[in-house]
Amino acid sequence: MERNPIPQFKPPHRNSPQRILIVRLSAIGDVILGVPVLCALRRAFPKAEIGWIVQGPGSQLLRGHPDLNTLITIPKLSFRTPSKFLEASSLARAFHPDLTIDLQGLMKSSLLAYLSGAKVRLGFASGEYDGREGSYWLNNRLVTPTSRHMVHRGLELLQPLGVVDSAIEYRLAEQETDSLMAKRVVEENFSGGPFAMINVGAGWPSKLWPNDRYAAVAKHLWNRWQFPSLVMWGGETEKRRALEIQSLAPEACKLAPSTSLTELRSLLRLASLFVGSDTGPMHLSVAVDTPTVALIGPMPIERVGPLGPRHRAIQNERLTKQQKSERKTNLSPILSIEVPMVCEACDSILGELSPSLLTRPTR
């Protein structure tokens, strides 16, 4: 359990919750999409003790967040290993929450909220994507969101607290060592000039766009805008994909070094453009306000697409309700996105940037 010092604020609202525990365990992109809830809670309850229980690499991006008091990192949970649940619930109870917010809406997240001992447990009513696996039996203040996007739906969970706040903030922390590493990479590869970042990986096969298409986009960015691309990767499989893209467009691409998530966050802050599918790095790019072209495959664009005028989302085909069970494997939606669509979105973003923003900004 890690604690961050929080600056002193004005007194909290009357009858406000004193100890709030956010439960959003994974995945990286979904954790990022939950961060605006943390920021909204801090604006509403400036004196509250706010904790977040999370598993896996998403914890790296929460560490040091200025609005978070306590970060509880746990191993990946499985109902086949009850001992891990007992350990995780012990850590949740040790925080002594009087309120939990279940952003995940699954049985394991709602069970952790229940076992934390919190008297008030906010969660989603039963729905297509939220409030699943009987989580609504364990959460005792249920919300039926009217919004489609995950960020807005998370913010709607706060309405029973009297919090009606549509402002979207991320305020992700920046470590000096990560910032220095990112600046060194940019200087060594691009002499400090502007560049785009291309992300080749994704958690599901249905979100993987073909290598040759990414290479074609990199060539377009180079020929049209004189923008080189830094091809990012995570793990050996993605590295092989990145190397293939570089080999297909050697004049337009550089291979990114191996990075941690926090180093990637710093690199994204320095990029002028990001291109990639619906995955953690795309949501991270949006969170640090780098202009983003998001290639949306099987998930609804109105649920996961980037929010804000600096970004573009492309979805050319979507799964039917009957195909929902194929969302991890059905390649048809992502393959229906053609190279000219992505190039047009890139041109739209870059054409709106002022000349000064097409040079490397200092962030």
Side-chain angles (χ1 to χ4, degrees):
M1 186 181 296
E2 305 171 38
R3 295 178 56 81
N4 296 327
I6 295 292
Q8 295 300 309
F9 296 95
K10 62 184 180 180
H13 305 311
R14 185 180 179 185
N15 299 325
S16 63
Q18 301 300 303
R19 302 185 68 82
I20 305 169
L21 181 62
I22 298 171
V23 185
R24 175 80 234 194
L25 304 176
S26 61
I28 295 170
D30 295 339
V31 169
I32 294 168
L33 292 173
V35 170
V37 172
L38 168 63
C39 297
L41 284 169
R42 179 57 69 204
R43 289 192 298 270
F45 308 114
K47 294 290 287 184
E49 187 88 3
I50 303 177
W52 189 315
I53 188 164
V54 64
Q55 64 187 24
S59 63
Q60 298 176 35
L61 300 174
L62 297 174
R63 189 166 292 119
H65 194 288
D67 294 333
L68 185 65
N69 297 96
T70 303
L71 178 62
I72 305 171
T73 305
I74 61 173
K76 186 174 182 180
L77 296 182
S78 168
F79 287 112
R80 293 189 294 271
T81 53
S83 60
K84 290 185 178 180
F85 256 102
L86 291 174
E87 181 183 352
S89 63
S90 174
L91 292 171
R93 281 196 308 274
F95 182 73
H96 302 295
D98 49 60
L99 167 72
T100 58
I101 299 172
D102 178 11
L103 290 177
Q104 193 139 7
L106 296 177
M107 176 54 72
K108 62 182 179 182
S109 57
S110 62
L111 181 58
L112 272 182
Y114 177 81
L115 294 175
S116 75
K119 293 183 178 180
V120 179
R121 301 181 297 280
L122 297 180
F124 295 106
S126 178
E128 182 180 5
Y129 293 102
D130 308 310
R132 295 181 291 147
E133 300 178 356
S135 60
Y136 43 85
W137 291 109
L138 295 175
N139 294 319
N140 58 11
R141 297 290 188 275
L142 301 182
V143 175
T144 303
T146 58
S147 302
R148 300 295 303 274
H149 199 279
M150 286 182 65
V151 170
H152 294 141
R153 292 173 75 84
L155 291 171
E156 284 190 62
L157 270 187
L158 307 183
Q159 290 182 358
L161 305 176
V163 179
V164 182
D165 189 343
S166 60
I168 297 173
E169 287 188 299
Y170 292 91
R171 289 164 46 82
L172 297 179
E174 178 85 359
Q175 300 297 325
E176 184 178 2
T177 53
D178 297 331
S179 178
L180 291 173
M181 177 271 186
K183 290 177 181 178
R184 184 174 66 252
V185 169
V186 174
E187 184 61 36
E188 290 175 354
N189 286 279
F190 311 117
S191 301
F195 67 101
M197 291 191 72
I198 291 176
N199 179 57
V200 302
W204 298 351
S206 58
K207 297 181 179 182
L208 292 172
W209 207 46
N211 295 348
D212 61 326
R213 301 190 193 183
Y214 276 125
V217 171
K219 289 179 181 178
H220 173 80
L221 291 173
W222 177 251
N223 294 331
R224 172 76 185 271
W225 298 96
Q226 290 72 58
F227 261 45
S229 295
L230 189 65
V231 186
M232 48 196 282
W233 52 275
E236 289 304 312
T237 299
E238 290 186 13
K239 185 177 182 180
R240 288 192 291 271
R241 295 194 72 216
L243 285 168
E244 181 180 347
I245 292 169
Q246 185 189 32
S247 70
L248 292 171
E251 75 288 352
C253 290
K254 295 289 184 84
L255 183 71
S258 176
T259 60
S260 67
L261 271 177
T262 57
E263 290 169 339
L264 176 59
R265 176 180 59 198
S266 295
L267 271 171
L268 285 168
R269 280 192 164 113
L270 295 179
S272 295
L273 179 70
F274 172 92
V275 181
S277 64
D278 167 27
T279 189
M282 183 276 282
H283 295 297
L284 184 56
S285 176
V286 174
V288 299
D289 202 31
T290 293
T292 297
V293 175
L295 285 54
I296 309 298
M299 297 299 291
I301 192 170
E302 62 273 13
R303 177 173 171 81
V304 299
L307 298 172
R310 289 167 63 85
H311 315 300
R312 303 290 185 273
I314 305 170
Q315 185 170 55
N316 192 47
E317 181 182 307
R318 63 173 67 202
L319 299 179
T320 64
K321 287 185 177 181
Q322 292 73 24
Q323 294 173 312
K324 182 183 172 184
S325 62
E326 305 171 14
R327 63 185 183 275
K328 294 185 179 182
T329 56
N330 192 315
L331 305 182
S332 182
I334 195 70
L335 293 181
S336 73
I337 299 174
E338 300 289 347
V339 170
M341 301 175 188
V342 180
C343 293
E344 181 180 356
C346 293
D347 293 345
S348 174
I349 289 177
L350 295 177
E352 291 180 0
L353 295 180
S354 67
S356 62
L357 293 178
L358 293 177
T359 60
R360 177 77 271 109
T362 301
R363 300 192 187 184

